[in-house]
Amino acid sequence: QVQLVESGGGLVQPGASLTLSCEASRSVVGIAAMGWFRQAPGNERDLVAKITTRGIANYTDSVKGRFTIFKGTRKNLVYLQMNNLKPEDTATYYCRFWRNFQGILTDYWGQGTQVTVSS
């Protein structure tokens, strides 16, 4: 069973930076894309950023210019660099891997890491 292990969350002040990381517990063949979602209490889980294996990234409008998603040097490792954090960025952040192997589509999710932005 593949697990996604996240780290890097915390409590920071507005304007600060954090970097989240997410890595699969073992090598996984066929990962097509990796991404980050977030969910605040009472809200749905929404996509924040996504990157394909070819390195094409896209972002939700509210984080463009502040967040950067990038792949690590090891396979199945992804980061989310978050700069100029705002209170509205407060949420639980989840990583997700999309896998397409021999026509079979599979999703993997991390357990979530809390990001709190408050003065």
Side-chain angles (χ1 to χ4, degrees):
Q1 182 73 11
V2 175
Q3 293 182 332
L4 301 187
V5 181
E6 302 163 355
S7 63
L11 170 64
V12 297
Q13 293 185 338
S17 298
L18 280 175
T19 301
L20 307 181
S21 66
C22 174
E23 186 170 19
S25 57
R26 62 173 178 82
S27 181
V28 182
V29 176
I31 297 298
M34 300 179 283
W36 290 92
F37 287 68
R38 66 186 178 187
Q39 185 171 21
N43 291 353
E44 295 184 351
R45 189 175 297 187
D46 295 323
L47 178 66
V48 175
K50 182 178 180 180
I51 187 166
T52 69
T53 51
R54 296 186 178 184
I56 299 171
N58 57 74
Y59 303 87
T60 190
D61 286 346
S62 63
V63 308
K64 286 179 180 178
R66 299 188 299 122
F67 290 12
T68 302
I69 186 170
F70 58 99
K71 296 183 289 182
T73 54
R74 295 193 299 274
K75 288 185 64 176
N76 304 153
L77 172 61
V78 66
Y79 296 94
L80 184 68
Q81 170 71 41
M82 305 184 293
N83 297 328
N84 190 23
L85 283 161
K86 303 176 180 181
E88 51 263 42
D89 295 318
T90 296
T92 301
Y93 284 69
Y94 300 88
C95 65
R96 178 183 180 183
F97 286 9
W98 290 263
R99 186 189 188 205
N100 184 352
F101 184 62
Q102 297 181 338
I104 300 174
L105 305 180
T106 308
D107 282 348
Y108 300 104
W109 286 90
Q111 78 285 357
T113 185
Q114 179 66 36
V115 172
T116 302
V117 184
S118 175
S119 55

